[in-house]
Amino acid sequence: MRVLEVDHPLVAHKLTVLRDKTTPSPVFRQLTEELVTLLAYEATREVRTEPVEIETPVTRTIGTAFTKPTPLVVPILRAGLGMLEGMTKLVPTAEVGFLGMARNEETLDVITYAERLPADLTGRQVFVLDPMLATGGTLREAIKFLFARGAADVTCICLLAAPEGLQALRDELEETNVSIVVASIDERLNEKAYIVPGLGDAGDRLYGVAG
Ligand SMILES: O=P(O)(O)OC[C@H]1O[C@H](OP(=O)(O)OP(=O)(O)O)[C@H](O)[C@@H]1O
Ligand SMILES: O=c1cc[nH]c(=O)[nH]1
Ligand SMILES: [Mg+2]
């Protein structure tokens, strides 16, 4: 498992506004999208490509095209949905599948309440979108699910991660082909397993308090 914390002034600036509790939902959504586009640039460095012959107005030349099947992008509902647009801007031909997962805020157990993915992911390159890696429970379940379907490698794009959650993933997934690309590894989790300093509940800040 590899972890990349993206160190860039644009990322740091946008993240600072995102963290601010006075930032309203429409701005929060816009910044999330912009941040994901910046993170996706780094996260797609290893995307599979192959040479392709094309003709420019001047001559024939060899260019680069995504290897088929194209990457699969999986936002984890709800909050991950706010990251989809920023990702598909960079990889518009990607296939998109969905996982609906929620952690019980008392027990921190994760339930999967929705799944719409190809039945067979053998050999596929998968990009998972989820803004918050707190205890790591949600991503652990998502990654295990994708590998069980045959995925070859999984890259998770997150806005924030807690050191505790990264360690938990390392303990279980160290030997697997997993990459985590994150804008910031924060200080710690608090007693409610929220990331500190964090940005609060990403799903609520994107879409309002769930009933
Ligand atoms: O690392 P963990 O401790 O598992 O926590 C992280 C998860 O918590 C949040 O989702 P939440 O369960 O709040 O669902 P939501 O996106 O619908 O708000 C977040 O978007 C992650 O999916
Ligand atoms: O800080 C946190 C932890 C889990 N989920 C969130 O949305 N925020
Ligand atoms: Mg939430």
Side-chain angles (χ1 to χ4, degrees):
M1 182 178 124
R2 294 167 298 281
V3 177
L4 172 68
E5 186 181 20
V6 176
D7 181 17
H8 193 288
L10 279 181
V11 170
H13 168 70
K14 289 178 194 297
L15 195 53
T16 302
V17 183
L18 200 74
R19 289 182 192 277
D20 190 326
K21 68 177 185 184
T22 66
T23 297
S25 261
V27 180
F28 193 95
R29 282 201 285 270
Q30 180 63 34
L31 285 169
T32 298
E33 192 182 316
E34 291 171 11
L35 273 164
V36 173
T37 301
L38 293 170
L39 297 179
Y41 181 74
E42 292 295 341
T44 51
R45 273 191 193 281
E46 309 269 315
V47 72
R48 276 185 231 136
T49 60
E50 59 193 22
V52 59
E53 195 178 344
I54 57 150
E55 200 165 342
T56 77
V58 180
T59 185
R60 291 192 76 76
T61 187
I62 304 295
T64 300
F66 288 143
T67 302
K68 290 207 170 61
T70 56
L72 175 71
V73 174
V74 180
I76 299 187
L77 310 180
R78 265 180 321 165
L81 197 56
M83 303 171 76
L84 183 58
E85 194 72 20
M87 183 70 185
T88 52
K89 234 178 215 163
L90 284 198
V91 195
T93 55
E95 194 177 349
V96 181
F98 296 88
L99 274 176
M101 305 179 99
R103 75 173 192 177
N104 179 313
E105 294 295 339
E106 310 290 309
T107 63
L108 303 179
D109 291 338
V110 179
I111 60 147
T112 302
Y113 59 84
E115 177 261 304
R116 195 86 163 95
L117 292 169
D120 183 9
L121 295 177
T122 304
R124 295 291 295 269
Q125 199 166 26
V126 183
F127 291 87
V128 173
L129 309 177
D130 193 342
M132 310 302 274
L133 193 172
T135 65
T138 303
L139 274 185
R140 183 185 60 231
E141 290 306 307
I143 292 166
K144 280 164 64 179
F145 188 93
L146 293 164
F147 280 140
R149 286 261 170 113
D153 57 83
V154 178
T155 300
C156 304
I157 302 181
C158 304
L159 297 181
L160 300 183
E164 297 91 326
L166 284 173
Q167 190 55 50
L169 287 185
R170 270 199 198 94
D171 290 346
E172 214 165 313
L173 302 167
E174 187 59 63
E175 302 305 321
T176 60
N177 209 350
V178 169
S179 300
I180 312 281
V181 177
V182 61
S184 170
I185 300 172
D186 273 9
E187 283 168 28
R188 62 185 169 88
L189 292 177
N190 69 12
E191 60 292 347
K192 291 184 171 164
Y194 270 71
I195 298 173
V196 180
L199 50 75
D201 189 302
D204 290 354
R205 293 199 65 188
L206 282 162
Y207 301 119
V209 180

